[in-house]
Amino acid sequence: MTVTAAATVADPVAAPDADVVPDVVDGVAVARLYGEPLFTLPQDLYIPPDALEVFLEAFEGPLDLLLYLIRRQNFNILDIPLADVTRQYLAYVEQIRSRNLELASEYLLMAAMLIEIKSRMLLPPKKRDDGSEPEDPRAELVRRLLEYEQIKLAAARLEQLPVLGRDFLRAQVVIEQSLQPRLPDVSPDELRAAWLDVLRRAKLNQHHKITREQLSVREHMSLVLKKLQGRRFVEFDELFDTTRGVPVVVVTFIALLELARERLIDVTQAEAFAPIYVRLAYQPA
């Protein structure tokens, strides 16, 4: 329903008579006009009929209005009394049609649908070819109303959810701390490629002297740790003595893997395909 009222001054330049306006402004003045006190309303005050419009109920479309009329009077949506609802609906449409014909056109289409459904209900129902009962003419309208109501309720629930910037603000806390540069981890493929390169060079130093040498992984772990003592980074290749043959290289590589598993050393690489470096996991101050 729309209620119209008006409060517009058409000629604001009209001023009261000089004999009425005092030199000192007191609390009796009803208004000010260009800084001057105004004690009486102008005689030529004009209020146009469409100066102010107050919408008591705002509807988003014909379905919204129809659903409002049904729910306000507690009608069963599955058994709508079309005569009463159509009468109230047309009364509202008549009000908006007199002011906004373009807006009323959409509502008039729904009004025509209501009248068409009511006329079909007055006619004798025709049975279907298969002998079943004909569908209620209101069924399609009821389905649209129920779907619209579900969407409207879902939109209302979404509107109640807290929104960033409207209901709360994201807190930001800056923590000053010294950041240690973290070197990228060495991938298994990079480590395997470096190991194959060391093994290839070790095979170039083969000799035919046959001896039996007792090799200890723990002993080579100690040798690797000694080589790393006092040095920040040691290149991966420098930890292998390729002149002693493949067995020593293999045991040294196993010792490196064992030290890395026990987190006694760090194997790092500055970037992809860059040289691999080894360092002690704990650097004394």
Side-chain angles (χ1 to χ4, degrees):
M1 180 178 296
T2 307
V3 179
T4 59
T8 304
V9 178
D11 187 9
V13 298
D17 190 82
D19 297 333
V20 181
V21 181
D23 296 333
V24 180
V25 179
D26 54 14
V28 184
V30 295
R32 283 178 176 272
L33 185 63
Y34 296 109
E36 297 295 331
L38 185 65
F39 293 90
T40 59
L41 293 176
Q43 298 298 324
D44 56 348
L45 180 64
Y46 170 71
I47 301 177
D50 295 333
L52 178 64
E53 291 187 357
V54 179
F55 293 89
L56 299 182
E57 295 293 344
F59 303 108
E60 299 179 358
L63 283 177
D64 197 19
L65 170 60
L66 194 58
L67 185 63
Y68 168 78
L69 295 175
I70 294 172
R71 293 306 188 193
R72 186 186 65 176
Q73 301 172 87
N74 294 324
F75 289 149
N76 185 1
I77 198 171
L78 301 178
D79 187 17
I80 304 173
L82 281 179
D84 295 338
V85 173
T86 304
R87 190 180 304 108
Q88 298 172 17
Y89 185 89
L90 290 175
Y92 177 84
V93 173
E94 183 63 25
Q95 292 183 16
I96 63 173
R97 188 178 66 84
S98 60
R99 296 176 177 85
N100 192 337
L101 185 60
E102 182 179 357
L103 177 62
S105 61
E106 186 178 0
Y107 289 83
L108 288 172
L109 180 61
M110 176 60 71
M113 183 183 300
L114 293 175
I115 296 174
E116 189 266 342
I117 294 174
K118 181 59 179 177
S119 63
R120 288 171 55 191
M121 294 179 63
L122 295 175
L123 296 175
K126 294 182 180 180
K127 291 188 177 182
R128 298 182 179 178
D129 297 336
D130 55 359
S132 60
E133 292 294 330
E135 187 180 18
D136 192 330
R138 300 169 294 181
E140 178 63 19
L141 179 62
V142 170
R143 182 188 62 80
R144 292 177 58 185
L145 285 172
L146 291 176
E147 290 180 355
Y148 177 79
E149 187 175 31
Q150 291 178 359
I151 295 174
K152 188 175 181 179
L153 292 176
R157 287 195 293 268
L158 289 177
E159 183 66 22
Q160 293 176 359
L161 295 177
V163 178
L164 176 63
R166 184 191 69 181
D167 303 313
F168 66 93
L169 298 175
R170 181 183 291 112
Q172 297 182 356
V173 180
V174 179
I175 301 177
E176 296 183 359
Q177 57 182 2
S178 59
L179 300 177
Q180 295 291 338
R182 184 177 182 274
L183 298 175
D185 297 332
V186 180
S187 65
D189 293 337
E190 295 283 345
L191 189 60
R192 177 176 176 272
W195 155 247
L196 291 178
D197 183 67
V198 173
L199 185 61
R200 179 184 57 80
R201 290 189 283 110
K203 290 182 178 179
L204 298 177
N205 296 279
Q206 295 180 355
H207 52 80
H208 296 284
K209 184 178 179 180
I210 301 175
T211 59
R212 183 177 181 181
E213 184 178 7
Q214 298 292 338
L215 300 176
S216 171
V217 175
R218 287 294 174 183
E219 179 182 356
H220 282 76
M221 290 171 62
S222 301
L223 294 176
V224 170
L225 292 176
K226 289 181 180 180
K227 290 182 180 180
L228 297 177
Q229 288 289 338
R231 303 177 65 179
R232 187 174 182 182
F233 289 96
V234 177
E235 194 169 352
F236 182 81
D237 297 342
E238 296 181 13
L239 297 175
F240 296 89
D241 188 2
T242 57
T243 60
R244 299 181 60 184
V246 175
V248 175
V249 171
V250 172
V251 174
T252 305
F253 182 70
I254 296 174
L256 279 172
L257 295 179
E258 188 66 17
L259 289 171
R261 187 182 68 84
E262 295 179 4
R263 301 183 182 277
L264 296 177
I265 62 172
D266 291 332
V267 183
T268 60
Q269 188 180 33
E271 59 184 2
F273 306 107
I276 299 175
Y277 293 91
V278 182
R279 68 173 182 180
L280 291 175
Y282 170 74
Q283 295 288 347

